[in-house]
Each structure stands twice: as C-alpha cells, then as structure tokens.
Amino acid sequence: MPKPSPDAAGIGGSHGDDSFETSWNILSESLQEIHTKNASGLSYEKIYRHAYKLVLKNQGDRLHSSLKAFIQTWLEQNVRETITSVIPSQLLRLDGTLSGNPNERRVASERLMKALKDAWEDHNLCMSMTTDVLMYMDRIYCKSKELPPLFVTAMLIFRDNILRWYNETDSAHDYVTVENLLHTIVLDQIGMEREGEVINKSLVRSCVYLMEGLYESENEALDEKIYLTAFEPKFVSTSREYYRANARSTLDNSDSITYLKHVQKCLDDEAGRCKTTVSDMSSRKIEMVIEAELITRHLDEVVQLEGSGVKSMIENDRDEDLLLLYKLSARVDDKKVSLTKALQRQIGHMGKTVNDTAMDAILGNRSIQGVTDANPSKIGSKGATAAAAGTVATAAALQWVEEVIQLKEKFDKISEVSFCADQRLSAQITKSFSEFINLLDRSPEFISLFIDDNLKRGLKGKTEAEVDVVLDQAITLIRYLNDKDKFELYYKKHLARRLLMKRSISTEIELQILSRMKQELGHNVTQKLEGMFRDMATSDDMTLAYHNHSSSLVSDSKRTELVITVLTSTFWPSENDSSVSKTAQLSCNYPTQISRLKSSFEKFYLDKHTGRKLTWKGNGGSADMRLTFPKDPSAKQDSKLGKDRRYEANVPTYSMVILMLFNDAEPGRSLTYAEIQAETALCDSELTRNLIGLALTKYRILRKEPMSKKIEPSDRFSVNDSFTSPYLKFKVGAVASGSKVESDHERVETEKKNNEMRDLLIETVVVKIMKERRKSTHLDLINEIITQLSTRFSPDVSRIKTRIESLIDREFLKRDEKSNVPAYSYVA
C-alpha cells in the first residue's frame, strides 16, 4: 500500500487529542456497525486509514486501550445480558448442580448452550473483521510493544467478561460462573447420553469448541486451553465416579461374558463420544478411566467368576469371548498376569483330570470307553487277570495320549485365535502342559506306547500329510518330558519289538521319526537307535549270504530255513528279569534239527568275524510251522474233524521248541509241566508265557488238564486233536509278549535300569567337566552338571553328590584341601 501524504492522512496538526477523538469516533461507530451486523455500508479502507493514522501519530497505546474498552463494554452491555437471561436459575441447586428431570434439564441446558454458541461465534466473526481493518496496529504497535495480537486480546476479554463472570448479587448459588455452569451442563448432557437419553451432540460440541478456543494466558500454549485446564479434569473425575459405580452394578447383575461386552461397548461409546460430542484430546484419558475402573479393578474377579470366567469359556469353547478378554486384559497389563494365572490353573485342572482318568483305569477303578475287558473264562489262564488288566492299561495309556493331544490342539487354537499368538501366553501354555505331563511318572512310557501303536497300525492308510501331523504330535509330547532318558529306554524297547517281530508298517516312517527325534534330543540319544536299524539291514544281508552258503552244501528241499538277526549288544535293550539269572533266562534245549542249524550258522559267522561271541536269544524270535491234525475216525466225514487239517502257524521260538516235543509222540500222549521244563530247560517265566499262548488263548493247539486258570507243575499238556481254525495261516503269541503298559514289577526293573544309566551319565559328565576345568568348587560343579543334564533329565542333587563321592573313592577326583569352600581337583 502506498504511503499516504501527511495532508491526505490528516497528519501533522497540532490538535492531537482532537484528532484522536475524531478518528476514534469514526472507528468506534464502525465497530458498532460490525457488531450489530450492519457493516455492509462501511468503507474498510477509510477505517484502516484512521487506525493507520493513529499508530503513526504514536497514539497506538490509546487506540489499543480504547479498543479493549469497547470490546469489554460491548460484551458487558449486550452479550452478558443475553447469557444471563437464559441461565436456568430455577434448576440450579445451591452447589451449582442441576436438578429436575432429564427433559427439563435438556431444554434449559440447550437454551444456555445455544446462547453461548451464538455469542462465541458472533464474537469470533466480529473480531476477525476488526483485526482485518486494524491489521497495521497488530503488525506495528502490538509487535513493538510485545503485546498479544488483537484477536488474542479479544478472546481473553470474552473469557473474563463472559465465561468467568458471575453475578455478585446472587449469593444463593455460591457465585457460580458461567464457565462452571457450562461445565455442569456439558457433563450433565454427557451423563444423560451415557444413560441412553438423546442429546443435541452438535450443540455440546460447539460449546467444547468454545472451551478449546480459549486459553489461560496470552501465550496460547496447547496445554493452556481452558478445555484442558478447567473442564477436562472435571470430565475425567465425573467419568471415573460414574464408571466405578457402573462397573460394580453391572458385575453384580451379570456374568463375565456380559460384563466384558459391556466394557467393550463403553470403550466404543466413549471413543465415539470424544470424536463427535466432546474432544479427541480427552479420548485416551477417558479410555484410561474405563481401563482402571472397569478392567483393572475387576479383572481378577471377572477371570475367576464361577460359571462364566476363564474356566467356563475354555470348557465351552467360547473363543470369541476369550479373545475379548485377552484384548481387554492386554490394555491394562502387558504381562497379562490374571489371564496367565487363570490359564495355568485351568490347564493344570484339565491335565490332572486326564491323568487321574488314565490312572484310575490302570488301577482298575474305571474302564476306558471303547475297551472291552478280556474274558477270563475264555482265557482260562494264570495270566488271565493280568492280560485283561494289561489290555485295559494299555488302552488307558493310549487314551491318555489322545486326550493330551486333543487338549493341546484345543489350547493351540485358543492361543492362535483368542490370544493372537501371544508369546507370553503361548509360553505359559507350554509350561503348564509340561508340568501336568511330568506329574504323571508314567508319561514317558505312555508316549512311547502311542508312537509304537501308530507305527504298528495307527498310521496304516494315512496320507503323508496325516502322518506328518501324528509325527509332529509325538515330537511335541517328547519335548514336554523332563525325563527324556526314561522315554529313550521305553522307546528302544518298543522299537526292538517292532523290528524283531516285523510289526512296523513302514521303515521309511520309522526313519522319519528317528530323524525328528535326532533334531529334538540330539545325536547322542539316537545313535543307538540308528545302530538297531543298521543291524537289521546287516542281518538281511547276512541271512542271504548264509542261505547261499547252506544251499551250496546241502540241497534238501525239506530243510529248515533259518532267518538270522544279529544284534549288537550295546545297541539293543536287554529285557532281563532280575529274579532270574541271565543264563537261566536264555537257556533252552533246542531240538536236534535246530541245534544243527545253530552250529552251522555259528561256524559261518565266526569264520567271517573272528573274536566275536554269539549269544542266542530265543525269546526274541519266532518260527513258521506246518501243523497237521489227522482226522477223527469217530467224526462225520463231511465235518471239519472228519478230514485232515493242515495249517501254517507263526509261533514264538520257545513255543516251537515245546510243540516239537509232541512231533513224534504217540497219539494221546501228554506231558506234565515239569516234564516239558525238563526237556526244554526253559525258565518258569518263559515256559508259562508260552504254554499260556499254546493252550489257553484263541488258538488252543495244546490241551491242558485239568482246565483251570492256574498252571501248576502237575498240569498235563497234550495235542488238541479237535483243534480247528477258520484260517489256514494264523499267529500265536506268547502272553504279554507285545507292547503294553508295564506291571509294577516291570516298572521296578525299568527304574533300576534307568537309575544305573543315570549314575553312569552323571559320572561321565563330572569327569568331562573336571577334565576341562581341572579345579572347581562344589557349587559350581553341581550347577554345571544340572545344566548339562537338564536336556535329558532333572538330576537329583543327592544322587550327584553320591556319584562325586564314588569318583573320589575311585581316585578320579580329590578334594581341594587348600580351598576355603568345598572344592575338587581332577586327578590325571
């Protein structure tokens, strides 16, 4: 804008006061027109020039003061009267709160809010126009005097003369300011909406805009908005009081699920309210109020509420409700302590139920669904009850594993769907499963039986993907075990039976799970298992070589074929009964024909492998026999007994030895138990097992006299001339020769063997550590031993101390007498 000349601007006269008054009269009249919305005829250039003239004549201070006085007078004489006329005095209590029904309060509140809204908007509009025409004063005078801009000053005047004004003559209401009354009205409207009443949201929002547009000081810092300094603390406080009472009332009259949905609705409602009715600046603070009063304060109670808490949600597959609980819990607790504890309790409870069910069935207190008890009258043997109990116990063991897997799948789904794969909760699930699985001391055996059952028949006909699922389940269960060395012992025993009895459905699957076990347990654990497979492969080649060798020597079509499995003693488990010597357990007088085969193979083998020793284990083998039963002359010719009956039977090696005693016997000849034992030299346990299989099970090749459930030394056995079978080929097994849950006696033997292995392993680790360190304190050595063995089992400290003492006695270690604390030195 070109600088006006002194004459044109009226500058340079000696009548300063007259000039100011003249110019101010023109300005005040113009401002009056602006405020009365009659500014259409005004010349804004003229107004600007008069203000410009006064600033140039150093009259800026008077102009500034006069302008402030004008604004204040206008607000006091025009706006304040309008506001005062709509204050709902009849509804005001002595403390400044509102009385009356919701409709009365809403109507009265809307009148006051509308008046304030209109006054605020008019003031903003008028001040915008005023600051435009007084721009020069703002830019030059206010800046040079470090005064706030005119618009800011006008807002402060509105704050002090309208919002914070109170009627000094109205002592009945404790000098309630318009601002306090506005706070009361807005909070009352919010409260009404929370109770389901309909309010004018846009009108409330306009009043919030008013509070957001006014500041505590001329600096207009963000945190000085009177919305934040004066209104928001009250908003947060009343919200806290409301939700504290609301939480208690809701929880007393609803279940956990309903309560959680109510909490989520409150969060959603308040988020929407802050966006549309109040201010986004308060959104997080109100969220924190709800989190504190509705979630944190009552989370433990909600989680544990009987009939609808976490226990009920898990048992009834309420995954969506668990997800809501997880999300709400995560808002107030990163560690989710309440949810974690509830999850731990529930998994422990459900796991204990699974454990108790299995053990009750094994102990004979309960039966497993789908398992038919063996009929002692049909078995009729000394081992009838044991066989029936073994069947139920094995079924219980397999059922236990299935239930654990189902439980794991259930909680895996909960973890993924409801807990959003939260690592902390996933870790707690893993820990809780490990705890209840290891509470059952038979879990290593049960898991091995599960794998054994699947590798013998459970995986038959399954797709590759289904096989992978089962293998993954097995490895997961193994991972939970603390006593992995005990599992290794059982697995080795079950694997040996599968391999020797050729019961495995697939060598490829066997090697697959072995590979996974190697990754999980380490090479040291699986190297012996791998050696067992190598022995089987080597034995196949050995059998073929021996067959070719024997064929070149003798060409007899009726000769007995020998299939050999040569087992490396360090790889394969020994199933010796400590009550019977190893020599007695393996003793057997083989028939002459078989003895010749034994001698022939021994010579063949030892010629190729000098320095080795062969020990024959008949209890691990089987024989294919052709059985011929002559026709019964007294039977009808068209009946089964009226014809010769020929069968092919697969029987245990010792059963073959027993049957061959009757091979050339006269018809009707019988042998007593004692006579059979004298002829065969079999120990009592092996002889009894095999006689039960031959005389008292499904295929009764022998007849027992007298027929009873016990086998006595005086019992007589003879060929069952009336034997028939619907099958031309069948298999006869020795009782309790398959994979089953161990009896108490067998468990004692296994524990003894496992403890011996642990002692050896502890000593090995001690020597290894001391050889590396040369010296170590007692405490450091114990801790290091526990650390190194923790992947195999949880070693008992007292057992470790005993092994250390044993090593000292054998002069592998010695005590360090010079050390101030108990310590040891390695003896080279």
Side-chain angles (χ1 to χ4, degrees), residues 606-620:
L606 295 176
D607 285 345
K608 291 180 174 291
H609 303 89
T610 57
R612 295 189 182 180
K613 179 182 178 182
L614 287 177
T615 302
W616 294 82
K617 301 186 68 173
N619 57 359

Side-chain angles (χ1 to χ4, degrees), residues 352-397:
K352 184 178 183 300
T353 301
V354 172
N355 289 350
D356 291 346
T357 301
M359 291 310 299
D360 285 348
I362 290 174
L363 297 173
N365 296 325
R366 297 175 66 181
S367 62
I368 296 296
Q369 184 178 1
V371 176
T372 304
D373 291 345
N375 188 339
S377 64
K378 291 183 179 180
I379 297 178
S381 68
K382 178 181 179 181
T385 303
T391 302
V392 173
T394 302

Side-chain angles (χ1 to χ4, degrees), residues 431-459:
K431 180 181 177 183
S432 298
F433 265 83
S434 179
E435 287 174 352
F436 89 75
I437 286 174
N438 286 290
L439 281 176
L440 187 69
D441 59 356
R442 296 193 177 191
S443 55
E445 179 187 7
F446 289 1
I447 294 171
S448 181
L449 280 170
F450 167 76
I451 299 173
D452 181 69
D453 183 71
N454 274 283
L455 291 174
K456 287 194 297 190
R457 54 179 174 268
L459 295 178

